[in-house]
Each structure stands twice: as structure tokens, then as C-alpha cells.
């Protein structure tokens, strides 16, 4: 009787561990997802027409970041100087870079808020409600009326 109870306990524990492993593995991050694929996933759900795609020079100008220090990036910037809509997705080489990138983004937002304070209440409201999400080596940042939808599309895109 005692042996049967021990076997039952061990079997239940093994079952719980197996279910936990299966459940947890389904919620992982695809660390090898190409940024271009993430970009396509987002643009299929939210229009990026109010922004223009940036390059490494634009990344340096807007954020002070060197593209060689990153594993990759996708940048969209405002088409007009009176707009604040932008999206940045960065894949860092090492997760120790995440805090630095978050600080750079925070500086960008503060600089934009300073530029638009006093005459751009709509722009300031968008800047105050920006979306920032970190998932593993990926950092997502957006300022847009549809920033939350963009963030959700990003999250869905990088889940395994």
C-alpha cells in the first residue's frame, strides 16, 4: 500500500513537470526571427504609411546609435517635421545592451516632448503614450495613434 502511494506521487509529479515544460515551451520567444519578418507581420496589421523607412544614418541621427553595435534594426520615422509617429525595433547582440537602448529611447522621447511642448498638444499626447516592449534580445518602440496595436502585432510575431 505504501509503495503504491509513493508510485502514485512520483507519477503525478512527473506528469506535472511534463505539462509545465510543454506549457512553458509554447510561450517562448523566437530569438532567430528575422526583423524583416517582424516588420511584415506588423505592417500587415497596422499601416505604416505615415512614416518612412530609415537607415543606419537615420538611426545615428535620431538615436545616436551605431548600427554595427546591434544585431539589426528596423526604423520608421515621421514623414513630416510636425509629426511624431515613429517605430523602432532593435535586436541587440547581447541582452546587457537592453538597458542602454531603453535609456536612448527615453532620451529621444524627452527631446521630442521638449520640441513640441507649448505648441503641439496632440504630438505631446502621442509621445506621452508611447509603447515600449522588451522580449529577449528584441526591443520594440512606437509613437503612434496605433502604437498599442503595433506592440501587440510585435508580441505575436516573436512568439514561437
Amino acid at each position: 500500500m505504501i509503495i503504491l502511494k509513493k508510485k502514485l506521487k512520483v507519477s503525478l509529479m512527473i506528469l506535472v513537470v511534463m505539462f509545465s515544460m510543454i506549457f512553458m515551451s509554447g510561450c517562448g520567444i523566437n530569438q532567430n526571427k528575422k526583423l524583416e519578418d517582424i516588420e511584415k507581420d506588423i505592417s500587415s496589421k497596422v499601416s505604416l504609411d505615415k512614416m518612412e523607412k530609415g537607415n543606419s544614418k537615420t538611426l545615428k541621427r535620431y538615436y545616436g546609435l551605431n548600427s554595427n553595435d546591434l544585431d539589426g534594426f528596423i526604423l520608421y520615422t515621421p514623414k513630416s517635421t510636425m509629426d511624431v509617429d515613429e517605430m523602432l525595433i532593435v535586436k541587440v547582440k547581447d541582452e546587457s545592451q537592453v538597458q542602454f537602448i531603453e535609456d536612448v529611447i527615453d532620451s529621444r522621447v524627452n527631446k521630442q516632448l521638449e520640441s513640441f511642448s507649448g505648441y503641439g498638444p496632440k504630438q505631446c499626447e502621442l509621445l506621452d503614450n508611447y509603447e515600449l516592449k522588451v522580449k529577449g534580445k528584441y526591443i520594440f518602440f512606437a509613437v503612434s495613434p496605433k502604437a498599442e496595436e503595433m506592440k501587440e502585432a510585435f508580441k505575436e510575431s516573436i512568439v514561437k
Side-chain angles (χ1 to χ4, degrees):
M1 186 82 162
I2 294 174
I3 294 173
L4 188 61
K5 284 184 180 181
K6 282 186 178 181
K7 282 186 177 181
L8 184 61
K9 282 184 180 180
V10 170
S11 295
L12 282 173
M13 287 180 65
I14 291 172
L15 217 65
V16 167
V17 169
M18 285 176 47
F19 278 121
S20 296
M21 288 174 63
I22 291 168
F23 179 74
M24 296 291 271
S25 68
C27 297
I29 299 167
N30 183 352
Q31 295 285 6
N32 297 316
K33 182 94 178 210
K34 292 181 181 176
L35 288 170
E36 293 78 17
D37 293 338
I38 296 171
E39 177 185 17
K40 285 178 192 171
D41 292 344
I42 293 172
S43 65
S44 72
K45 294 183 179 172
V46 180
S47 173
L48 303 176
D49 292 342
K50 286 188 73 179
M51 299 176 276
E52 58 189 13
K53 193 163 183 176
N55 56 28
S56 58
K57 287 182 180 180
T58 315
L59 181 71
K60 184 74 168 172
R61 185 173 137 225
Y62 278 68
Y63 293 91
L65 294 172
N66 185 340
S67 61
N68 294 328
D69 296 337
L70 307 171
D71 205 8
F73 73 96
I74 299 290
L75 174 62
Y76 280 85
T77 59
K79 283 186 176 178
S80 163
T81 57
M82 289 306 296
D83 289 331
V84 293
D85 295 49
E86 61 187 78
M87 179 181 78
L88 174 66
I89 304 169
V90 172
K91 183 175 182 186
V92 294
K93 290 181 178 179
D94 185 88
E95 289 186 33
S96 65
Q97 296 173 290
V98 169
Q99 185 60 54
F100 174 73
I101 302 295
E102 286 181 312
D103 292 344
V104 166
I105 290 169
D106 190 48
S107 293
R108 169 76 179 148
V109 170
N110 286 332
K111 185 176 179 183
Q112 287 289 83
L113 280 168
E114 190 177 296
S115 294
F116 285 99
S117 68
Y119 74 92
K122 289 180 183 178
Q123 291 91 336
C124 288
E125 184 179 348
L126 286 174
L127 288 161
D128 284 334
N129 294 307
Y130 72 88
E131 292 289 343
L132 178 68
K133 186 71 180 173
V134 176
K135 286 281 194 181
K137 291 184 176 184
Y138 296 94
I139 303 165
F140 169 86
F141 165 70
V143 175
S144 168
K146 301 207 178 235
E148 188 171 347
E149 293 171 52
M150 295 162 78
K151 179 185 76 173
E152 292 306 315
F154 164 77
K155 286 173 24 182
E156 289 172 16
S157 181
I158 63 168
V159 174
K160 286 185 180 175

